[in-house]
């Protein structure tokens, strides 16, 4: 499909980005010069500076991470750290088919705390029905081969610890002298162009993108696909001598899988705050499955 569209593909690691010389330095391939660069490196697991995470915790930030987890992890006593969407979905997915497993979800807040009170109550109800133990007052300060240590000194033993508390980004843009936010994401204007280098655009998790109500768009599939498409439209518009329209974006809903037979669809206001409407149960599980399939189709060239 790429060849048919006249697209050249190069598989290599990007080692350096010389933004002033407009050159990308690669490992294992010749350097590439560019007129326009789209920076879309996505995100990666963020250990948040907690000792032992890199050495002793699993992640599901990439397909390779997930494969390693499900091939190597012993689920007899699994601790999932993080009450966000990733932690919630993972805990449910592990607990549902293995009723004898002991899954503990640790978080400093109620699981799904960003959603409505009704949505949070549904998440907790389903997780507890699946046998997941929830502790929403826990701050993990260290991970070891034995388990995790909390801020109050308690050591909780585990056969596998999975870290899902957040995501970080590559430091490539920062090292290249491109303007970035404190977390390393590239700062962009309303057309997703770098505020410091006008020949560079950014999309997805590696970009700071302003949304409705001046709220930054969150790292998510729901953000990455539309901003990726928009960045391409903006580049083409300027190549043709036109000013691209500003990005127009709104959130509609957020989906959570709660095992194979339950889920949660939280409908949202444009600025990503929770609305009154939500779907649960098998209807929500079916809805989420269709969204995943649709996202896969939309991502194809």
């Amino acid at each position: 499909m790429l060849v048919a569209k006249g697209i050249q593909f190069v598989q290599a690691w990007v080692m350096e980005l010389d933004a002033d010389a407009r050159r990308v330095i690669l490992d294992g391939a010749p350097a590439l010069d560019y007129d326009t660069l789209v920076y879309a490196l996505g995100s990666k697991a963020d250990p948040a500076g907690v000792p032992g995470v890199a050495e002793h915790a699993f992640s599901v930030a990439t397909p390779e991470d997930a494969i390693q987890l499900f091939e190597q992890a012993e689920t007899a006593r699994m601790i999932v750290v993080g009450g966000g969407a990733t932690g919630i979905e993972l805990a449910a997915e592990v607990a549902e088919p293995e009723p004898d497993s002991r899954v503990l979800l640790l978080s400093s807040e109620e699981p799904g705390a960003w959603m409505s009170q009704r949505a949070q109550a549904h998440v907790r109800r389903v997780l507890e029905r699946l046998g997941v133990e929830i502790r929403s007052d826990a701050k993990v300060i260290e991970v070891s081969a034995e388990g995790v240590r909390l801020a109050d000194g308690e050591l909780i033993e585990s056969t596998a610890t999975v870290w899902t508390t957040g995501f970080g980004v590559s430091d490539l843009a920062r090292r290249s002298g491109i303007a970035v936010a404190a977390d390393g994401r590239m700062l962009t204007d309303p057309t997703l162009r770098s505020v410091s280098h006008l020949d560079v655009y950014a999309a997805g998790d590696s970009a700071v993108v302003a949304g409705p109500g001046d709220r930054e768009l969150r790292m998510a599939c729901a953000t990455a696909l539309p901003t990726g498409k928009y960045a391409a439209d903006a580049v083409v518009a300027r190549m043709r001598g036109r000013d691209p329209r500003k990005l127009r974006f709104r959130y509609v809903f957020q989906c959570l899988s709660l095992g194979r037979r339950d889920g949660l669809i939280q409908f949202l206001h444009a600025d990503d705050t929770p609305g009154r409407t939500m779907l649960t149960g098998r209807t929500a599980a079916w809805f989420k499955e269709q969204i995943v399939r649709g996202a896969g189709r939309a991502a194809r060239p």
Side-chain angles (χ1 to χ4, degrees):
M1 289 186 289
L2 295 176
V3 171
K5 294 176 180 291
I7 299 171
Q8 179 187 3
F9 171 69
V10 177
Q11 181 174 348
W13 288 98
V14 177
M15 305 305 294
E16 294 181 36
L17 171 60
D18 189 336
D20 294 327
R22 297 182 181 179
R23 173 168 291 187
V24 181
I25 310 301
L26 304 177
D27 179 20
L32 298 175
D33 295 320
Y34 64 84
D35 297 307
T36 302
L37 176 74
V38 178
Y39 188 91
L41 288 181
S43 58
K44 58 184 179 180
D46 181 13
V50 175
V53 172
E55 296 82 5
H56 302 293
F58 290 93
S59 170
V60 289
T62 69
E64 294 77 16
D65 291 337
I67 291 171
Q68 182 184 38
L69 169 64
F70 286 101
E71 286 183 347
Q72 299 182 13
E74 171 56 59
T75 60
R77 176 56 166 170
M78 176 179 283
I79 292 179
V80 178
V81 183
T86 304
I88 292 169
E89 290 194 333
L90 178 64
E93 200 71 32
V94 172
E96 184 181 60
E98 299 189 43
D100 294 331
S101 65
R102 298 170 59 208
V103 180
L104 170 62
L105 180 64
L106 295 179
S107 175
S108 59
E109 297 181 307
E110 181 70 11
W114 69 95
M115 297 186 293
S116 67
Q117 292 294 323
R118 288 176 57 225
Q120 293 176 48
H122 181 73
V123 168
R124 174 174 278 273
R125 186 163 54 247
V126 174
L127 289 177
E128 290 178 342
R129 174 169 54 80
L130 294 175
V132 177
E133 180 186 353
I134 301 170
R135 289 188 56 175
S136 56
D137 59 350
K139 179 177 177 57
V140 176
I141 62 170
E142 183 183 6
V143 179
S144 67
E146 290 73 34
V148 302
R149 188 169 299 280
L150 305 184
D152 62 4
E154 179 184 1
L155 174 65
I156 305 177
E157 296 182 351
S158 73
T159 56
T161 300
V162 190
W163 195 263
T164 72
T165 62
F167 298 95
V169 299
S170 168
D171 66 347
L172 181 63
R174 187 192 305 277
R175 288 191 287 109
S176 306
I178 298 174
V180 297
D183 60 4
R185 290 180 299 153
M186 190 179 297
L187 298 173
T188 65
D189 69 11
T191 66
L192 299 192
R193 188 164 58 173
S194 164
V195 298
S196 61
H197 291 73
L198 301 185
D199 46 15
V200 177
Y201 294 75
D205 288 0
S206 55
V208 176
V209 182
D214 292 327
R215 290 168 61 109
E216 293 179 4
L217 302 187
R218 55 181 157 84
M219 293 181 175
C221 170
T223 305
L225 288 174
T227 56
K229 182 180 184 303
Y230 172 84
D233 291 341
V235 169
V236 170
R238 288 200 167 99
M239 288 174 61
R240 294 176 176 174
R242 295 186 286 106
D243 289 330
R245 60 173 178 80
K246 295 181 179 180
L247 174 67
R248 297 178 61 188
F249 185 97
R250 65 151 296 156
Y251 289 102
V252 180
F253 51 78
Q254 185 172 15
C255 317
L256 285 180
S257 290
L258 298 171
R260 298 293 87 196
R261 295 181 291 275
D262 208 324
L264 173 68
I265 310 299
Q266 172 73 71
F267 286 86
L268 304 168
H269 298 297
D271 64 355
D272 206 24
T273 54
R276 297 180 59 185
T277 304
M278 70 181 199
L279 302 176
T280 60
R282 290 184 180 271
T283 300
W286 175 86
F287 193 113
K288 171 64 184 283
E289 186 65 24
Q290 302 313 304
I291 292 299
V292 171
R293 293 177 183 273
R297 289 191 296 267
R300 294 176 186 147

